[in-house]
């Protein structure tokens, strides 16, 4: 995948880059192993897809906690880009 949308932007931190790529996952129907390949290739890292999936879940949870001031009884496995809104509204 050499698409320019996967390239790190000038001035973009590693963390910002990862979060930007995470946000592309659902829109481009990517799997976590593809996300890992993209990030690993761009940043010369060697992590597995689980690291990125868990990091994204943590990021989403932190965003929700900031927005709603608390998220009761959520597990990392309950949060992903397609179901986190349903989880907090349930």
């Amino acid at each position: 995948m050499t698409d320019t949308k996967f390239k790190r932007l000038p001035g973009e931190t590693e963390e910002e880059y990862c979060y930007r790529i995470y946000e592309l996952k659902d829109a481009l129907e990517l799997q976590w192993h593809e996300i890992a390949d993209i990030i690993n290739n761009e940043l010369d890292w060697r992590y597995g897809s689980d690291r990125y999936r868990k990091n994204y879940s943590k990021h989403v949870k932190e965003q929700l906690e900031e927005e709603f001031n608390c998220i009761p009884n959520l597990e990392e496995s309950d949060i992903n880009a397609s179901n986190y809104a349903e989880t907090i509204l349930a």
Side-chain angles (χ1 to χ4, degrees), residues 62-80:
E62 289 170 356
Q63 284 183 321
L64 290 172
E65 287 172 344
E66 284 179 22
E67 187 172 341
F68 295 103
N69 293 326
C70 72
I71 304 295
N73 302 320
L74 284 183
E75 299 293 326
E76 279 190 20
S77 61
D78 293 333
I79 303 172
N80 68 43

mmCIF file of all heavy atoms in Angstrom, residues 62-80:
data_model
loop_
_atom_site.group_PDB
_atom_site.id
_atom_site.type_symbol
_atom_site.label_atom_id
_atom_site.label_comp_id
_atom_site.label_asym_id
_atom_site.label_seq_id
_atom_site.Cartn_x
_atom_site.Cartn_y
_atom_site.Cartn_z
ATOM 1 N N GLU A 62 -10.732 7.151 25.943
ATOM 2 C CA GLU A 62 -10.312 8.439 26.513
ATOM 3 C C GLU A 62 -11.105 9.594 25.922
ATOM 4 O O GLU A 62 -11.495 10.515 26.642
ATOM 5 C CB GLU A 62 -8.814 8.645 26.296
ATOM 6 C CG GLU A 62 -7.958 7.746 27.157
ATOM 7 C CD GLU A 62 -6.485 7.758 26.775
ATOM 8 O OE1 GLU A 62 -6.105 8.411 25.773
ATOM 9 O OE2 GLU A 62 -5.709 7.083 27.476
ATOM 10 N N GLN A 63 -11.360 9.550 24.619
ATOM 11 C CA GLN A 63 -12.159 10.599 23.985
ATOM 12 C C GLN A 63 -13.570 10.624 24.556
ATOM 13 O O GLN A 63 -14.121 11.681 24.827
ATOM 14 C CB GLN A 63 -12.231 10.393 22.474
ATOM 15 C CG GLN A 63 -10.989 10.771 21.729
ATOM 16 C CD GLN A 63 -11.173 10.609 20.236
ATOM 17 O OE1 GLN A 63 -11.810 9.665 19.758
ATOM 18 N NE2 GLN A 63 -10.616 11.529 19.482
ATOM 19 N N LEU A 64 -14.155 9.456 24.736
ATOM 20 C CA LEU A 64 -15.514 9.370 25.272
ATOM 21 C C LEU A 64 -15.558 9.847 26.725
ATOM 22 O O LEU A 64 -16.501 10.529 27.125
ATOM 23 C CB LEU A 64 -16.040 7.941 25.167
ATOM 24 C CG LEU A 64 -16.329 7.459 23.749
ATOM 25 C CD1 LEU A 64 -16.663 5.978 23.761
ATOM 26 C CD2 LEU A 64 -17.448 8.264 23.120
ATOM 27 N N GLU A 65 -14.550 9.478 27.492
ATOM 28 C CA GLU A 65 -14.498 9.927 28.887
ATOM 29 C C GLU A 65 -14.404 11.444 28.965
ATOM 30 O O GLU A 65 -15.044 12.062 29.812
ATOM 31 C CB GLU A 65 -13.320 9.276 29.610
ATOM 32 C CG GLU A 65 -13.550 7.817 29.912
ATOM 33 C CD GLU A 65 -12.321 7.109 30.460
ATOM 34 O OE1 GLU A 65 -11.194 7.644 30.336
ATOM 35 O OE2 GLU A 65 -12.487 6.015 31.002
ATOM 36 N N GLU A 66 -13.624 12.043 28.077
ATOM 37 C CA GLU A 66 -13.526 13.503 28.047
ATOM 38 C C GLU A 66 -14.858 14.127 27.666
ATOM 39 O O GLU A 66 -15.289 15.114 28.255
ATOM 40 C CB GLU A 66 -12.459 13.943 27.045
ATOM 41 C CG GLU A 66 -11.053 13.772 27.522
ATOM 42 C CD GLU A 66 -10.035 14.212 26.487
ATOM 43 O OE1 GLU A 66 -10.379 15.019 25.597
ATOM 44 O OE2 GLU A 66 -8.892 13.748 26.563
ATOM 45 N N GLU A 67 -15.513 13.529 26.681
ATOM 46 C CA GLU A 67 -16.768 14.096 26.193
ATOM 47 C C GLU A 67 -17.913 13.912 27.177
ATOM 48 O O GLU A 67 -18.722 14.807 27.370
ATOM 49 C CB GLU A 67 -17.134 13.453 24.850
ATOM 50 C CG GLU A 67 -18.327 14.094 24.192
ATOM 51 C CD GLU A 67 -18.567 13.580 22.783
ATOM 52 O OE1 GLU A 67 -17.653 13.017 22.177
ATOM 53 O OE2 GLU A 67 -19.698 13.754 22.303
ATOM 54 N N PHE A 68 -17.984 12.768 27.805
ATOM 55 C CA PHE A 68 -19.119 12.462 28.680
ATOM 56 C C PHE A 68 -18.748 12.435 30.158
ATOM 57 O O PHE A 68 -19.576 12.119 30.992
ATOM 58 C CB PHE A 68 -19.742 11.123 28.272
ATOM 59 C CG PHE A 68 -20.343 11.154 26.906
ATOM 60 C CD1 PHE A 68 -19.677 10.585 25.829
ATOM 61 C CD2 PHE A 68 -21.552 11.778 26.680
ATOM 62 C CE1 PHE A 68 -20.223 10.622 24.561
ATOM 63 C CE2 PHE A 68 -22.114 11.819 25.420
ATOM 64 C CZ PHE A 68 -21.440 11.246 24.346
ATOM 65 N N ASN A 69 -17.489 12.722 30.478
ATOM 66 C CA ASN A 69 -16.965 12.784 31.841
ATOM 67 C C ASN A 69 -16.895 11.455 32.567
ATOM 68 O O ASN A 69 -16.307 11.372 33.614
ATOM 69 C CB ASN A 69 -17.729 13.792 32.700
ATOM 70 C CG ASN A 69 -17.512 15.198 32.220
ATOM 71 O OD1 ASN A 69 -16.438 15.542 31.745
ATOM 72 N ND2 ASN A 69 -18.527 16.022 32.340
ATOM 73 N N CYS A 70 -17.515 10.409 32.059
ATOM 74 C CA CYS A 70 -17.335 9.075 32.622
ATOM 75 C C CYS A 70 -17.991 8.059 31.703
ATOM 76 O O CYS A 70 -18.978 8.341 31.047
ATOM 77 C CB CYS A 70 -17.908 8.950 34.023
ATOM 78 S SG CYS A 70 -19.706 8.950 34.080
ATOM 79 N N ILE A 71 -17.421 6.886 31.686
ATOM 80 C CA ILE A 71 -17.964 5.768 30.916
ATOM 81 C C ILE A 71 -18.011 4.570 31.870
ATOM 82 O O ILE A 71 -16.995 3.958 32.151
ATOM 83 C CB ILE A 71 -17.077 5.414 29.700
ATOM 84 C CG1 ILE A 71 -16.866 6.623 28.809
ATOM 85 C CG2 ILE A 71 -17.658 4.250 28.917
ATOM 86 C CD1 ILE A 71 -18.117 7.142 28.130
ATOM 87 N N PRO A 72 -19.176 4.231 32.388
ATOM 88 C CA PRO A 72 -19.247 3.145 33.359
ATOM 89 C C PRO A 72 -19.122 1.766 32.709
ATOM 90 O O PRO A 72 -19.702 1.506 31.660
ATOM 91 C CB PRO A 72 -20.632 3.325 33.970
ATOM 92 C CG PRO A 72 -21.421 4.007 32.926
ATOM 93 C CD PRO A 72 -20.443 4.878 32.161
ATOM 94 N N ASN A 73 -18.347 0.907 33.318
ATOM 95 C CA ASN A 73 -18.276 -0.516 32.985
ATOM 96 C C ASN A 73 -17.973 -0.840 31.530
ATOM 97 O O ASN A 73 -18.483 -1.805 30.997
ATOM 98 C CB ASN A 73 -19.581 -1.206 33.384
ATOM 99 C CG ASN A 73 -19.879 -1.035 34.856
ATOM 100 O OD1 ASN A 73 -18.975 -1.108 35.681
ATOM 101 N ND2 ASN A 73 -21.122 -0.777 35.185
ATOM 102 N N LEU A 74 -17.143 -0.069 30.887
ATOM 103 C CA LEU A 74 -16.765 -0.412 29.521
ATOM 104 C C LEU A 74 -15.450 -1.174 29.524
ATOM 105 O O LEU A 74 -14.512 -0.805 30.208
ATOM 106 C CB LEU A 74 -16.578 0.839 28.653
ATOM 107 C CG LEU A 74 -17.830 1.528 28.179
ATOM 108 C CD1 LEU A 74 -17.456 2.703 27.277
ATOM 109 C CD2 LEU A 74 -18.739 0.594 27.415
ATOM 110 N N GLU A 75 -15.414 -2.240 28.777
ATOM 111 C CA GLU A 75 -14.192 -3.004 28.579
ATOM 112 C C GLU A 75 -13.611 -2.605 27.233
ATOM 113 O O GLU A 75 -14.341 -2.186 26.336
ATOM 114 C CB GLU A 75 -14.505 -4.507 28.573
ATOM 115 C CG GLU A 75 -15.102 -5.019 29.864
ATOM 116 C CD GLU A 75 -14.123 -4.963 31.020
ATOM 117 O OE1 GLU A 75 -12.915 -5.165 30.778
ATOM 118 O OE2 GLU A 75 -14.561 -4.712 32.145
ATOM 119 N N GLU A 76 -12.292 -2.749 27.065
ATOM 120 C CA GLU A 76 -11.674 -2.425 25.775
ATOM 121 C C GLU A 76 -12.325 -3.203 24.647
ATOM 122 O O GLU A 76 -12.497 -2.702 23.558
ATOM 123 C CB GLU A 76 -10.173 -2.729 25.814
ATOM 124 C CG GLU A 76 -9.367 -1.657 26.465
ATOM 125 C CD GLU A 76 -7.883 -1.866 26.287
ATOM 126 O OE1 GLU A 76 -7.478 -2.592 25.370
ATOM 127 O OE2 GLU A 76 -7.138 -1.288 27.074
ATOM 128 N N SER A 77 -12.710 -4.444 24.921
ATOM 129 C CA SER A 77 -13.307 -5.266 23.872
ATOM 130 C C SER A 77 -14.681 -4.748 23.445
ATOM 131 O O SER A 77 -15.178 -5.118 22.387
ATOM 132 C CB SER A 77 -13.430 -6.713 24.339
ATOM 133 O OG SER A 77 -14.256 -6.784 25.479
ATOM 134 N N ASP A 78 -15.308 -3.886 24.264
ATOM 135 C CA ASP A 78 -16.619 -3.336 23.934
ATOM 136 C C ASP A 78 -16.526 -2.128 23.021
ATOM 137 O O ASP A 78 -17.538 -1.644 22.525
ATOM 138 C CB ASP A 78 -17.358 -2.889 25.201
ATOM 139 C CG ASP A 78 -17.722 -4.056 26.087
ATOM 140 O OD1 ASP A 78 -17.893 -5.166 25.560
ATOM 141 O OD2 ASP A 78 -17.822 -3.854 27.304
ATOM 142 N N ILE A 79 -15.316 -1.610 22.812
ATOM 143 C CA ILE A 79 -15.164 -0.362 22.086
ATOM 144 C C ILE A 79 -14.470 -0.601 20.757
ATOM 145 O O ILE A 79 -13.410 -1.177 20.698
ATOM 146 C CB ILE A 79 -14.331 0.646 22.904
ATOM 147 C CG1 ILE A 79 -14.985 0.888 24.260
ATOM 148 C CG2 ILE A 79 -14.162 1.952 22.143
ATOM 149 C CD1 ILE A 79 -14.138 1.705 25.186
ATOM 150 N N ASN A 80 -15.106 -0.175 19.694
ATOM 151 C CA ASN A 80 -14.452 -0.094 18.391
ATOM 152 C C ASN A 80 -15.162 0.974 17.598
ATOM 153 O O ASN A 80 -16.189 1.499 18.016
ATOM 154 C CB ASN A 80 -14.392 -1.447 17.677
ATOM 155 C CG ASN A 80 -15.745 -1.956 17.251
ATOM 156 O OD1 ASN A 80 -16.556 -1.210 16.737
ATOM 157 N ND2 ASN A 80 -15.991 -3.232 17.462
#
